Amino acid sequence: MRVVIGEDEALLREGLALVLERAGIEVVGSAADADEVVELVGRLRPDLLLTDIRMPPRHADDGLRAALRVRAAMPGTGVVVLSQYVAHRYARELLGTDAARVGYLLKYRIADSAGFCADLRRVAAGGTALDPEVASAMLSRSAPAIEALGPRRRQVLALIAEGRTNSGIARRLDITEKAVVAHTSGIYDALGLPVTDDDHRRVLAVVRYLTG
């Protein structure tokens, strides 16, 4: 997998490159400026762009704007943005109407390099990687769409968005794991999510509501 990194802090940029290269991921270019990020991706055609949201030249959401430009011009290129915090508007813009090849991760919640690199590979392969806090925050603002499910299934879906396991959901709602499995299956059926070897239905269930 070939990656371009967009990050204006030199130490973090070099640290990301080192983490990726140790995992066997080729870093083909890096940039500290959002305009240069777009130029590099257009010229090098990587499998994935990994970029911070706040970057020069305006030191605002320039990295996100670069990611959106890449998404529009090169839809086959995966895009993962890194942020210090959950920004609902940014996540909405990035996901748009198609969450394929998109990731939104929070820097302070990246627990290990192996999981981080797995997320990048999943996005490059056409999947989605959302930090549970991002998904949960977006889900909480998607009430009209969620109303299609019953109250209990809405609770289950919200807890799935927080990244909780079936056992964790069961404890939180004081129900059995078997009941959680039944509610989850009902959510999948309601959203038309079949069993496949390639997709993670828990993630897709959340993404379907976030983008629908």
Side-chain angles (χ1 to χ4, degrees):
M1 183 172 76
R2 303 168 69 252
V3 174
V4 163
I5 296 173
E7 170 57 58
D8 61 316
E9 294 185 20
L11 288 179
L12 183 52
R13 185 171 63 248
E14 293 175 11
L16 286 170
L18 183 60
V19 166
L20 300 191
E21 288 167 353
R22 284 179 174 173
I25 297 173
E26 182 183 3
V27 177
V28 296
S30 62
D33 178 277
D35 293 332
E36 187 182 356
V37 165
V38 176
E39 188 276 328
L40 275 179
V41 174
R43 176 162 52 87
L44 299 175
R45 298 285 170 166
D47 301 301
L48 182 89
L49 166 63
L50 173 64
T51 182
D52 194 2
I53 286 181
R54 293 187 176 277
M55 292 184 68
R58 295 184 304 124
H59 295 280
D61 60 354
D62 301 68
L64 175 72
R65 297 296 150 207
L68 293 174
R69 288 166 63 187
V70 168
R71 288 264 290 160
M74 291 159 276
T77 300
V79 170
V80 174
V81 299
L82 296 174
S83 181
Q84 295 282 11
Y85 54 89
V86 179
H88 179 268
R89 176 175 64 85
Y90 293 164
R92 280 283 185 189
E93 288 189 62
L94 186 65
L95 287 167
T97 58
D98 181 7
R101 294 185 173 84
V102 172
Y104 188 128
L105 303 177
L106 300 179
K107 292 178 180 179
Y108 70 92
R109 283 175 50 87
I110 295 174
D112 62 87
S113 59
F116 175 60
C117 291
D119 284 340
L120 300 189
R121 288 191 170 97
R122 183 165 65 254
V123 171
T128 305
L130 293 180
D131 185 278
E133 282 193 15
V134 175
S136 182
M138 294 180 69
L139 193 62
S140 68
R141 302 191 183 194
S142 303
I146 297 172
E147 290 299 326
L149 295 176
R152 181 63 85 185
R153 287 182 179 175
R154 292 201 301 271
Q155 288 179 317
V156 170
L157 184 54
L159 291 170
I160 289 173
E162 292 177 9
R164 297 182 185 274
T165 63
N166 285 349
S167 60
I169 294 172
R171 286 192 297 272
R172 180 70 174 270
L173 299 180
D174 196 24
I175 58 178
T176 66
E177 282 193 55
K178 185 176 181 179
V180 174
V181 171
H183 286 306
T184 304
S185 296
I187 291 169
Y188 297 155
D189 291 341
L191 297 179
L193 297 173
V195 177
T196 72
D197 293 332
D198 298 325
D199 298 319
H200 194 310
R201 290 196 295 173
R202 292 176 80 87
V203 175
L204 291 179
V206 175
V207 168
R208 183 69 59 87
Y209 267 111
L210 300 187
T211 59

